[in-house]
Amino acid sequence: QVQLVESGGGSVQAGGSLRLSCQASGGILSINAMGWYRQAPGKQREGVALITRSGKTNYADSVKGRFTISRDDAKKTAFLQMNSLNLEDTAVYYCHAEVAATVWDIRAYWGQGTQVTVSS
């Protein structure tokens, strides 16, 4: 069974930085796209950053220039470096990955979420 485990969340003052990690484990043949989403209280979950297997990245307009997504395929891990954090970045951050267990079994998985709280 594939699992995604996030870490690195916490509380930080505005202007600070955090680095989130998402490690995949289980029966994995390969990992296609990996991404980070977030959900603030009372709001819908939204996409934050995405990285393809080839390394192409996409970012939400609200985080461009401040957040950087990367991945280490050898460690089956994705990272989200978050700089210049502001109050609007407060949310639960979820890792998402498209994982191939076999060439025929490709599924999307979610992590359990990690809380990021930015204070003034």
Side-chain angles (χ1 to χ4, degrees):
Q1 180 69 19
V2 175
Q3 286 188 318
L4 302 180
V5 178
E6 300 110 331
S7 61
S11 297
V12 65
Q13 287 192 321
S17 299
L18 284 174
R19 188 186 193 215
L20 305 183
S21 298
C22 170
Q23 183 167 35
S25 63
I28 297 172
L29 176 63
S30 63
I31 303 175
N32 297 330
M34 300 185 79
W36 290 93
Y37 292 71
R38 67 186 181 187
Q39 188 166 19
K43 295 187 177 181
Q44 290 188 331
R45 190 173 298 188
E46 63 175 357
V48 175
L50 179 75
I51 185 166
T52 68
R53 189 175 179 183
S54 64
K56 182 179 179 180
T57 59
N58 280 287
Y59 297 94
D61 288 342
S62 60
V63 307
K64 282 181 181 177
R66 300 188 299 121
F67 290 11
T68 302
I69 188 171
S70 60
R71 60 191 286 169
D72 182 337
D73 287 333
K75 296 181 179 180
K76 299 184 178 64
T77 301
F79 304 96
L80 185 67
Q81 178 65 44
M82 305 186 293
N83 299 328
S84 301
L85 286 160
N86 57 53
L87 300 180
E88 290 70 37
D89 295 318
T90 294
V92 178
Y93 284 72
Y94 297 91
C95 177
H96 178 271
E98 186 179 72
V99 178
T102 71
V103 294
W104 306 108
D105 183 1
I106 302 172
R107 306 184 194 186
Y109 293 88
W110 291 93
Q112 81 285 356
T114 185
Q115 177 70 46
V116 171
T117 302
V118 184
S119 60
S120 58

